[in-house]
Amino acid sequence: MGDSIITVVAILVAAILMFVFPLLSVAERSDDIAQLAVQTATIEFVDNIRSTGKIQESSYNSYIQTLAATGNSYDAEIEVKVLDENPGKKVTWASGDKIGENVYYSIYTSQILETFEKEREQAKKTNDSNSEVAYLLKEGDMVTVSVKNTNLTLSQILRNFFYSVTGSNNYQVAAKHSGIVTITGTNI
Amino acid sequence: MKVQYIAIIFIIIMIPLMLVLTVYTQSQIDNLGVQLQYDTKLYDATYDGMKAFQLNTVNNKYSQVADSLKRDVEAAIKTFITSLSNNLSLSGYSIKDVSPYIPSILFTLYDGYYIYAPTYAEKLQEVEKDSIDVDGNPVKIIKEESKTPIEYSYENILKPYIYYTVKYHKNENNDFIVNYTLDNYIILYGMVNGQYVTKSGFLIVPGKVKLEIDKLKLETILKRNILEYILPLRTLDNADQETILTLYDRAPLGNLRPIDKVSLTSNFGEKLLNRLLTTKTLATVNDDVLLEEMLDSKIDEFLEDDDEIIGENYIITDDGIIDEVIDVFKINYDGIEISDSSAKKYYVKALRFTNWINKNLPDIKVSDAIKIDGSQYEEFKDNNSYLFNTINGNDPEDLSSTFSQHRMLAIRISIQTNLNTAIAKYNERFFEEKTYNLKMPLMNDNEWEKITNHISMATFFQGLQIGNKVYNNYTVVASTENKEMISNDNMYYFKKDLTGTVYYHKIDCPNLEDDGEIIGAKNIDYDVYKSRNEDETYEYTFGDIIEGVRLKGRPQNNIKQVGDITELSACYDLTKLYKNCIINQNYIPKITLNANRLKAKYTTIGRERNNLYKVNEYINM
């Protein structure tokens, strides 16, 4: 009797060791790869914005596609800090007799996407099929893109099964990149 | 064997495998991560270099002088290398530690480019020789003996400036060199239709410019200039004795300036020549009848032919004369009347140059381009489009036109060849030491488009060991804020709003009010520079614009204003004079340009281009 219990336990342990453990390991590798892909894509996307001075809809779409190709769902946030060169007149919280206090104000993903949409409508209205849909930036603006996965990846599920580290803000794949825009963008 | 033993053996085999794999994958990932970080650092450092160049050239009054500009380029490169070594956490190390891994830096300017590369230099043996000093005493001087180099070394230097030139050979009579620039300005020298010419100017579509002449104004000006002031000492021009007569300015005797050339085959020319032949001296012609005739024929010439507006050089030689004569023209560009005189000069000069090109080089094809050794370019030999014929659809300002495509490709070929050589040469030495081959990377079309249309800096960083890989990348940063070139994208237009704040806008900005005149200037003119004096006061240097008034004449970059705004506490070097229009915050559809805006746009670009100092403009004189 005691023997067969031990056998059952042994089979369970063996099963876990032989199947779940390798699976966990493979799942973690695949997350690593996803992490790498996401990081690369993010850096390329941001550097492209910095060197062209504009956020093109086409490059945004292909960035989102690259993210989706890793098999996870992501929350990608773009933040643009627009440089408000501010030499004379001041906003209310700064004194009015100084020149050159530069202020940044922020633009977020939703506003950028809204711009894309309106630009597309505008292009349709004017029958201008050549015009590029893009959000223009200028030299000195700062752009930040941060992305993290919103689903549970396989390795997260497995890990949660063994030792619980869940929380609502827990993510496995994340990347962030930012930089200063180096050229004033223009529509082609 | 019991099942648990099998499991344990499996684990014993698998765990090391997994561990090794994990470590390996992780190291690869780390490597890639480092590589990506380096990419960004390289980009940041290159931007720092470009920013330094922008700051330096704007503050440098003499930046158009080649040597001075070279110094700015050198400073930019130094900034880049310093910034790169700081970014790579190598600070404290000298530039020498980083620079071996920089096989070259490309710096493209308006009409040519610099390559910065480690260059092979030989140090020659020094030999003492007997000589005498100024007082006649014998001394030993050290003279370098060229035959026995004792030392070879690589030095990081700026190689000589290379112009964007292409040679064209159609036949013996049409064999010339064109120096391209980053826009539609070209410089041409060589044999054209059997004559040696040197010309430079902006190439445009001639059909876009319409010239009309205000006869009354013309008469007044000609009367004043020609009858009372200018004419005429005269000589026959040596080069074209038979056909051209040069007229000289009489006013400052002893300082003769050729002010006009008159073709002897023209009506007026014949009359004048006859008159001169009868007097047979170089005395002044004070004959009222002749001068009246001359005036008439000048007016006729004006009215008859846009090409030969007034003699050959009347309009171009002297700015004082242009200013008056330019008032005579009513100029329409693209259906918009241009009234600013600087802008008018640009359009008149461009039109005259374009007409000359179209008349003399209508059948030069892209395939006529040849290399220095006389062979044809692979890239051009099958292209039979007419290169300089801008009458039908070949708009040099449009990047897809034959001219622009050819210009960009020609610049690209020149850069590729020279950069490749520079890197390959350096590689010979580098390979001996590091067992790594440096190569010129393939750049994509977008990057080439940037390089061939903007002042730009391309940096290459290769051969640095990271983890178990070798780092190899390059980056291209273009500049839109500099005073070396003028393009539509660099223009801002300013307007005072109701509260008295002056905002500057892009031309298609909906917030730009349409009523009244819109004035624009290149973006760099909006900058205010701050410098600290010895007594801790600050001095501000404005660009061309102050409170909405554009100052006339040049130079304008040195208006200093002390006092008004010196309470500034923060210390920085540059800011904008006006407030940037906040268009991006909420989307407002861009508007199509109405006549008022188009006028502002054409006027601004014309004026700025006319005022841009062009090194080779003198060859038209």
Side-chain angles (χ1 to χ4, degrees), chain B residues 2-239:
Chain B
K2 287 188 175 171
V3 80
Q4 57 266 49
Y5 294 141
I6 297 174
I8 286 165
I9 288 168
F10 174 79
I11 296 303
I12 288 171
I13 296 169
M14 285 309 289
I15 279 186
L17 274 180
M18 280 175 195
L19 282 178
V20 170
L21 274 177
T22 312
V23 170
Y24 180 73
T25 325
Q26 197 55 49
S27 85
Q28 290 293 326
I29 289 171
D30 289 347
N31 271 341
L32 270 169
V34 172
Q35 204 173 322
L36 289 170
Q37 272 180 20
Y38 275 29
D39 287 353
T40 306
K41 285 171 176 174
L42 182 64
Y43 191 87
D44 288 344
T46 312
Y47 175 61
D48 286 347
M50 185 46 97
K51 192 81 196 167
F53 176 78
Q54 289 180 191
L55 277 176
N56 281 334
T57 46
V58 172
N59 281 321
N60 179 359
K61 257 197 292 180
Y62 305 104
S63 79
Q64 289 96 348
V65 180
D67 273 355
S68 188
L69 189 59
K70 186 176 179 182
R71 206 183 54 204
D72 289 339
V73 172
E74 274 169 349
I77 285 166
K78 200 163 179 186
T79 309
F80 160 72
I81 297 174
T82 313
S83 169
L84 186 65
S85 59
N86 284 339
N87 279 339
L88 295 175
S89 321
L90 288 174
S91 52
Y93 290 78
S94 72
I95 285 173
K96 279 196 169 141
D97 296 311
V98 184
S99 52
Y101 300 102
I102 302 168
S104 67
I105 295 168
L106 168 74
F107 213 108
T108 60
L109 295 168
Y110 187 55
D111 57 355
Y113 57 97
Y114 278 115
I115 290 175
Y116 174 90
T119 303
Y120 191 63
E122 41 185 55
K123 200 180 171 200
L124 303 172
Q125 188 163 20
E126 289 170 352
V127 184
E128 283 198 340
K129 283 202 165 172
D130 293 326
S131 181
I132 46 166
D133 66 9
V134 281
D135 300 327
N137 304 319
V139 285
K140 297 248 182 229
I141 57 156
I142 291 168
K143 200 184 174 194
E144 288 194 337
E145 194 64 56
S146 59
K147 282 174 191 162
T148 45
I150 47 167
E151 208 185 313
Y152 298 96
S153 66
Y154 273 85
E155 280 175 28
N156 290 300
I157 55 160
L158 266 193
K159 288 170 181 279
Y161 193 58
I162 306 168
Y163 289 94
Y164 308 127
T165 48
V166 183
K167 189 175 185 191
Y168 298 89
H169 179 89
K170 191 173 175 63
N171 46 45
E172 274 182 16
N173 285 335
N174 283 294
D175 185 55
F176 55 91
I177 287 173
V178 172
N179 184 358
Y180 289 100
T181 61
L182 296 178
D183 58 22
N184 51 336
Y185 185 74
I186 62 172
I187 303 126
L188 180 144
Y189 4 62
M191 298 293 283
V192 174
N193 295 332
Q195 296 224 330
Y196 188 84
V197 292
T198 53
K199 287 241 169 221
S200 67
F202 285 96
L203 204 55
I204 54 172
V205 174
K208 279 190 180 173
V209 185
K210 296 266 177 313
L211 281 183
E212 270 178 56
I213 287 157
D214 187 333
K215 205 177 163 184
L216 265 177
K217 259 189 186 165
L218 174 70
E219 218 174 286
T220 337
I221 288 169
L222 283 181
K223 264 189 183 147
R224 191 163 68 241
N225 273 327
I226 295 178
L227 292 178
E228 295 165 16
Y229 170 55
I230 294 173
L231 279 182
L233 288 175
R234 76 280 181 208
T235 61
L236 288 172
D237 196 303
N238 283 340

Side-chain angles (χ1 to χ4, degrees), chain B residues 477-613:
Chain B
V477 169
S479 154
T480 41
E481 285 202 15
N482 58 67
K483 64 171 183 185
E484 308 303 316
M485 73 173 288
I486 307 292
S487 83
N488 270 324
D489 305 336
N490 298 358
M491 300 299 159
Y492 286 138
Y493 301 83
F494 59 90
K495 243 330 153 40
K496 219 175 232 182
D497 76 355
L498 293 174
T499 63
T501 313
V502 184
Y503 285 91
Y504 63 88
H505 312 254
K506 285 258 165 193
I507 191 65
D508 55 359
C509 171
N511 293 345
L512 180 61
E513 280 162 41
D514 268 326
D515 55 328
E517 193 186 4
I518 303 171
I519 309 173
K522 59 181 185 293
N523 50 16
I524 211 82
D525 289 341
Y526 292 78
D527 287 339
V528 179
Y529 298 89
K530 183 185 165 199
S531 54
R532 193 183 353 208
N533 295 329
E534 278 171 15
D535 57 350
E536 297 290 304
T537 58
Y538 292 100
E539 209 162 89
Y540 295 88
T541 310
F542 292 93
D544 284 7
I545 320 146
I546 288 184
E547 283 302 316
V549 180
R550 203 188 150 87
L551 300 169
K552 269 207 142 188
R554 293 224 155 211
Q556 299 147 331
N557 282 343
N558 304 318
I559 303 119
K560 292 201 167 113
Q561 189 168 344
V562 191
D564 269 344
I565 36 176
T566 44
E567 303 104 46
L568 190 67
S569 54
C571 186
Y572 45 79
D573 53 354
L574 146 128
T575 181
K576 291 280 188 219
L577 187 58
Y578 298 140
K579 209 166 155 57
N580 187 17
C581 167
I582 306 172
I583 180 179
N584 283 342
Q585 211 157 26
N586 292 306
Y587 178 79
I588 315 166
K590 292 187 186 58
I591 57 166
T592 36
L593 304 185
N594 59 19
N596 199 19
R597 283 172 196 242
L598 278 176
K599 180 173 177 175
K601 182 179 164 181
Y602 295 146
T603 304
T604 308
I605 190 100
R607 189 189 60 225
E608 294 295 344
R609 279 191 168 156
N610 185 58
N611 292 345
L612 179 73
Y613 178 82

Side-chain angles (χ1 to χ4, degrees), chain B residues 149-360:
Chain B
I150 47 167
E151 208 185 313
Y152 298 96
S153 66
Y154 273 85
E155 280 175 28
N156 290 300
I157 55 160
L158 266 193
K159 288 170 181 279
Y161 193 58
I162 306 168
Y163 289 94
Y164 308 127
T165 48
V166 183
K167 189 175 185 191
Y168 298 89
H169 179 89
K170 191 173 175 63
N171 46 45
E172 274 182 16
N173 285 335
N174 283 294
D175 185 55
F176 55 91
I177 287 173
V178 172
N179 184 358
Y180 289 100
T181 61
L182 296 178
D183 58 22
N184 51 336
Y185 185 74
I186 62 172
I187 303 126
L188 180 144
Y189 4 62
M191 298 293 283
V192 174
N193 295 332
Q195 296 224 330
Y196 188 84
V197 292
T198 53
K199 287 241 169 221
S200 67
F202 285 96
L203 204 55
I204 54 172
V205 174
K208 279 190 180 173
V209 185
K210 296 266 177 313
L211 281 183
E212 270 178 56
I213 287 157
D214 187 333
K215 205 177 163 184
L216 265 177
K217 259 189 186 165
L218 174 70
E219 218 174 286
T220 337
I221 288 169
L222 283 181
K223 264 189 183 147
R224 191 163 68 241
N225 273 327
I226 295 178
L227 292 178
E228 295 165 16
Y229 170 55
I230 294 173
L231 279 182
L233 288 175
R234 76 280 181 208
T235 61
L236 288 172
D237 196 303
N238 283 340
D240 317 297
Q241 268 194 2
E242 296 308 311
T243 51
I244 305 282
L245 185 73
T246 310
L247 303 176
Y248 286 95
D249 186 346
R250 184 178 62 172
L253 278 176
N255 183 19
L256 292 181
R257 291 172 303 170
I259 50 159
D260 198 6
K261 286 184 178 174
V262 178
S263 168
L264 292 188
T265 48
S266 70
N267 253 350
F268 165 63
E270 269 174 25
K271 278 182 199 163
L272 189 59
L273 185 67
N274 285 335
R275 182 71 192 177
L276 293 176
L277 287 176
T278 51
T279 57
K280 285 188 183 166
T281 58
L282 281 177
T284 50
V285 181
N286 282 326
D287 189 325
D288 285 348
V289 182
L290 178 64
L291 291 175
E292 280 297 334
E293 282 173 6
M294 185 171 149
L295 181 61
D296 285 345
S297 80
K298 281 279 176 202
I299 292 170
D300 287 345
E301 269 182 59
F302 256 91
L303 298 177
E304 269 167 21
D305 194 355
D306 287 351
D307 285 2
E308 300 295 330
I309 300 171
I310 174 164
E312 182 72 24
N313 271 336
Y314 196 84
I315 284 178
I316 295 173
T317 40
D318 185 80
D319 260 21
I321 294 175
I322 301 176
D323 269 342
E324 284 192 280
V325 173
I326 207 77
D327 287 342
V328 169
F329 296 102
K330 261 178 92 181
I331 292 169
N332 270 289
Y333 182 74
D334 213 4
I336 304 293
E337 193 186 334
I338 309 290
S339 44
D340 181 278
S341 69
S342 288
K344 277 159 98 175
K345 278 182 222 169
Y346 162 74
Y347 290 108
V348 171
K349 284 188 211 173
L351 180 67
R352 287 171 64 79
F353 179 71
T354 305
N355 282 341
W356 186 88
I357 290 277
N358 279 325
K359 203 167 116 190
N360 289 286

Side-chain angles (χ1 to χ4, degrees), chain A residues 30-61:
Chain A
S30 106
D31 275 4
D32 283 346
I33 307 273
Q35 164 72 29
L36 188 66
V38 168
Q39 196 177 340
T40 314
T42 308
I43 290 179
E44 274 172 8
F45 178 57
V46 171
D47 283 350
N48 182 39
I49 295 172
R50 296 175 60 200
S51 63
T52 52
K54 57 191 166 189
I55 306 173
Q56 289 152 297
E57 193 189 29
S58 56
S59 85
Y60 175 76
N61 287 343

